[in-house]
Amino acid sequence: MSDVLTIAGKAYQSRLLVGSGKYKDLQQTREATDAAEAEIITVAIRRVNIGQDPKVPSLLDVLPPSQYTILPNTAGCYNARDAIYTLQMARELLNGHKLVKLEVLGDEKTLFPNMPETLVAAEELVKDGFDVMVYCSDDPIQARMLEDLGCVAVMPLASLIGSGMGILNPWNLSLIIEQAKVPVLVDAGVGTASDAAIAMELGCDGVLMNTAIAGAQDPVRMARAMKLGVQAGREAYLAGRIARKFAASPSSPMAGRLA
Ligand SMILES: CC(=O)[C@@H](O)[C@H](O)COP(=O)(O)O
């Protein structure tokens, strides 16, 4: 049976979305992306060359948009105006491409989202015709507001960007998942494959990560581990886990046992 992730009307087989920063070189970026079997790759438009500078190798040389869905993001933007401008520029560079990841950061220390500015930017971008996936706090009220504005996916943080601390508040994520009518993807803070599996077991529709793969000692191998973690978590979620109970029950049947 097919179990696809649908974002803005397009179906994806992979529920693991990856970033493109922090790799040794473009070759390693490509190898890790392929090991992750990721279809959506996010790109920090202010930091990574996708054609802004014709003298520098472009990420699109190794990850061509004909094979991958490039997801421009606004990493490094601290207000709505900069984020909107950055994504309009990305749309020009990518021939009218509409699917984007909005992130408006609050400060350099925490890289936490600035939610008031995120809401302003989301509203403007949706009106301007973008399909907006949005990095946000793990606050169910703000996630609902973003969905009501027309965002195509909400992406609450698991923990601070680049921290590798894993999922700090599974209960908040569960509240967001329970109410959401658009895909919910954990974005930021994943440290290892079990974090990805837990996010999926909670019912997330996908996971976006960068540092845990690019910063691993063996990024390609970690990319593979993350792919398997996401797949295992999704399977467990669909299979339906047993209820937790603080009592033992024998694993083998009691009826008809030998004397
Ligand atoms: C790549 C990207 O978009 C980051 O902003 C994202 O939040 C990933 O965070 P980690 O590096 O913690 O996975």
Side-chain angles (χ1 to χ4, degrees):
M1 263 201 317
S2 80
D3 171 41
V4 294
L5 168 64
T6 304
I7 300 176
K10 184 168 175 193
Y12 299 91
Q13 302 299 322
S14 170
R15 292 174 180 273
L16 173 56
L17 290 70
V18 294
S20 51
K22 298 184 179 171
Y23 286 101
K24 187 178 69 176
D25 52 31
L26 289 178
Q27 185 56 30
Q28 191 183 59
T29 312
R30 167 71 193 244
E31 283 168 19
T33 303
D34 285 349
E37 291 182 19
E39 294 168 278
I40 302 181
I41 295 92
T42 190
V43 181
I45 293 300
R46 292 182 135 202
R47 301 196 182 118
V48 177
N49 185 38
I50 58 163
Q52 305 93 311
D53 185 350
K55 294 191 284 298
V56 176
S58 166
L59 180 78
L60 305 186
D61 296 339
V62 290
L63 296 172
S66 53
Q67 278 177 46
Y68 304 88
T69 295
I70 301 297
L71 181 67
N73 75 57
T74 56
C77 292
Y78 288 84
N79 58 59
R81 200 196 48 202
D82 288 353
I84 293 165
Y85 171 76
T86 300
L87 292 178
Q88 286 169 339
M89 188 173 75
R91 183 166 58 185
E92 294 293 314
L93 287 165
L94 294 167
N95 306 317
H97 175 90
K98 282 169 56 176
L99 186 68
V100 294
K101 186 186 123 173
L102 171 65
E103 57 177 84
V104 184
L105 304 174
D107 66 31
E108 285 182 18
K109 180 166 190 260
T110 65
L111 301 179
F112 232 74
N114 176 329
M115 290 309 299
E117 289 287 303
T118 300
L119 286 157
V120 170
E123 183 166 21
E124 194 61 40
L125 289 164
V126 170
K127 274 194 203 140
D128 195 12
F130 285 95
D131 292 327
V132 181
M133 301 174 70
V134 56
Y135 169 64
C136 57
S137 59
D138 61 2
D139 171 343
I141 307 305
Q142 312 248 25
R144 188 162 59 218
M145 290 165 84
L146 290 165
E147 184 176 335
D148 290 346
L149 287 174
C151 292
V152 298
V154 291
M155 309 178 76
L157 49 75
S159 49
L160 302 184
I161 292 175
S163 70
M165 289 288 288
I167 296 169
L168 297 187
N169 198 334
W171 308 108
N172 276 23
L173 289 178
S174 295
L175 289 171
I176 294 173
I177 292 162
E178 205 177 275
Q179 71 183 9
K181 293 183 191 65
V182 295
V184 177
L185 297 96
V186 152
D187 177 6
V190 166
T192 189
S194 56
D195 299 331
I198 290 169
M200 298 306 293
E201 285 174 11
L202 286 171
C204 282
D205 296 282
V207 181
L208 189 153
M209 66 181 75
N210 188 171
T211 309
I213 296 176
Q217 286 182 25
D218 182 341
V220 174
R221 194 164 196 166
M222 184 57 87
R224 221 164 23 238
M226 291 298 186
K227 174 193 75 177
L228 296 171
V230 167
Q231 288 173 350
R234 179 69 182 172
E235 284 295 292
Y237 170 73
L238 294 175
R241 59 154 296 140
I242 59 165
R244 290 179 175 88
K245 50 186 186 304
F246 193 62
S249 65
S251 305
S252 46
M254 297 295 284
R257 69 197 153 136
L258 303 173

